[in-house]
Amino acid sequence: MNAIKRFLKEEDGMGTVEVILIIVVLVGLVLIFRNQITAIIGGLFDKITDKTSSF
């Protein structure tokens, strides 16, 4: 019983919860702006391909 009380009072898990929440927010933002991110990355790769083909 004493071990359960100590477990419930520990706050070590709070860091894990915060990290999970940050990851969820980042994944949500990526899903929302997926088309814009794809367009930007595609444009960058096109520019890199154009520059390397000219050499």
Side-chain angles (χ1 to χ4, degrees):
M1 189 66 162
N2 216 2
I4 295 173
K5 287 181 182 179
R6 277 195 323 248
F7 177 74
L8 291 176
K9 289 183 181 180
E10 285 183 18
E11 295 182 7
D12 294 340
M14 294 304 288
T16 305
V17 172
E18 292 168 355
V19 169
I20 290 172
L21 287 175
I22 291 170
I23 291 171
V24 167
V25 169
L26 289 175
V27 168
L29 287 173
V30 167
L31 291 175
I32 290 170
F33 296 109
R34 175 179 52 219
N35 294 332
Q36 291 86 350
I37 293 170
T38 304
I40 291 170
I41 292 174
L44 288 174
F45 280 128
D46 288 342
K47 286 181 183 179
I48 291 170
T49 305
D50 290 343
K51 295 286 184 180
T52 54
S53 325
S54 65
F55 287 115

